[in-house]
Structure formats: structure tokens, C-alpha cells
Amino acid sequence: MTRQLALLGSAVCLVLSAGAASAVDLPIRKAGLWEMKMVRTGGPMPEITMQHCTDETTDKEMSAAASPMAKEVCSKQDIQKTATGYVSDSVCSVAGMTMQSHAEIVGDFNSAYTVKSTSHAEGGAAGSRDTTMTIEAKWLGACKSDQKGDIIMPGGMKMNVKDMEKLKGLLPKQK
């Protein structure tokens, strides 16, 4: 169960970052199956690889679902276009923990992109800690016929973009 919660937490972070990024209109990813390898330091689950079947509608729905969630928990969401991609800075608070993060996004959103982020968290059960995470995403090809909007986590756990509203209910209420 702890492993599944860690995976869910990683997915929520991914969704919130997509929601934050939507304010600047990041390019829509090429339709098809994307592999996303997340490598972390400073926390549980140092590396996970997941797949996401997406198309233009799915990417837009994911941003639309995540944006209100991010607005509720983030006091700062700033993303800027740079010469090589995008830079994002945010401050978010959930369950008594405040996280400041900085991310750099480079790539073409047609074949591959990389997100490198650093964050500092304070409060909550874990206390104070620093984390770095790199997400390497690459386009694998067409989705399988039974996939549409599915995120396939390690161990075969599936989540669908249409279930993002359910994730919002899992977040602790802000005081």
C-alpha cells in the first residue's frame, strides 16, 4: 500500500505541474504512447517508469482538470518561456507541508522532452528535505487499441485522465 501511495503521490505531482504549466500554453504533446522515466533523490521511490497514452484532447483535459487543483494548493505558479524551453517556479502547500520548486523543461514535445526540478519541502511528517527529480519523456509510437488517456504505473496500476477530479478529493482540505 505504501508503494501505491508513493506512486499516486508522484502522479499527483506530475498532474499539478501540468496544471501549473498550462497557464503559459506549453505545446501539446504528439499523440501516442509516451514513456516517462522519473528519477528522484531525497525521497522514497528513487526511480519509476510509467507510460501515458495521450492525444490533443487528453492533454487539454489533463491541464483543465489539474489547473483548479493547483490553484487551490499553490500560492505561486510562474512559468516563463526561455530560449531553450520553459522555466517554472512554484510554492505549494498540502497537509501541513510547503514545497518550493524550480523546474526547467527542454525538448520538442514531438519525440522527447526533459523536466529537471529541484524542490525544498518543510513541515509535514517528513520534516525538512531537499529533492531533485528528472523526468525523461520519450514518444514510443501509437497507443494500444484499448488505451485512451491511460497512465500505466509500475506493476500495471492504471489511472485515467478522466479520474483526475477524484484525485482532488484525496488532497487534505486547506485551513
Side-chain angles (χ1 to χ4, degrees):
M1 180 58 103
T2 303
R3 178 177 162 86
Q4 288 177 328
L5 290 175
L7 292 173
L8 182 60
S10 295
V12 169
C13 289
L14 194 61
V15 167
L16 289 178
S17 67
S22 69
V24 169
D25 294 330
L26 284 175
I28 299 296
R29 292 179 291 172
K30 181 178 182 176
L33 189 61
W34 285 84
E35 179 179 84
M36 294 176 288
K37 179 180 175 183
M38 298 170 54
V39 178
R40 271 177 54 160
T41 62
M45 302 292 298
E47 181 179 317
I48 63 171
T49 300
M50 62 183 82
Q51 293 182 344
H52 186 198
C53 173
T54 189
D55 57 29
E56 183 175 350
T57 302
T58 302
D59 259 12
K60 287 180 181 178
E61 285 176 3
M62 190 164 79
S63 292
S67 189
M69 201 182 330
K71 285 178 185 171
E72 284 184 27
V73 299
C74 300
S75 61
K76 176 183 179 182
Q77 296 180 71
D78 181 40
I79 186 161
Q80 302 292 322
K81 175 87 174 103
T82 67
T84 58
Y86 299 85
V87 171
S88 170
D89 291 290
S90 62
V91 177
C92 303
S93 298
V94 176
M97 179 179 71
T98 299
M99 181 179 296
Q100 296 178 348
S101 62
H102 173 82
E104 296 179 9
I105 307 162
V106 296
D108 64 10
F109 296 88
N110 284 315
S111 61
Y113 64 91
T114 301
V115 180
K116 291 186 179 188
S117 68
T118 57
S119 62
H120 176 75
E122 299 227 0
S128 176
R129 72 173 181 263
D130 293 317
T131 305
T132 63
M133 180 168 50
T134 300
I135 301 171
E136 295 175 348
K138 66 180 177 181
W139 188 78
L140 299 178
C143 295
K144 296 175 184 163
S145 61
D146 64 341
Q147 295 176 326
K148 183 162 177 140
D150 291 330
I151 298 171
I152 300 101
M153 307 291 270
M157 185 173 109
K158 264 190 192 182
M159 225 172 39
N160 193 282
V161 171
K162 302 217 183 285
D163 296 331
M164 292 302 170
E165 191 62 29
K166 294 176 188 173
L167 287 178
K168 184 178 176 182
L170 298 175
L171 292 174
K173 301 292 181 218
Q174 296 295 310
K175 294 179 181 168

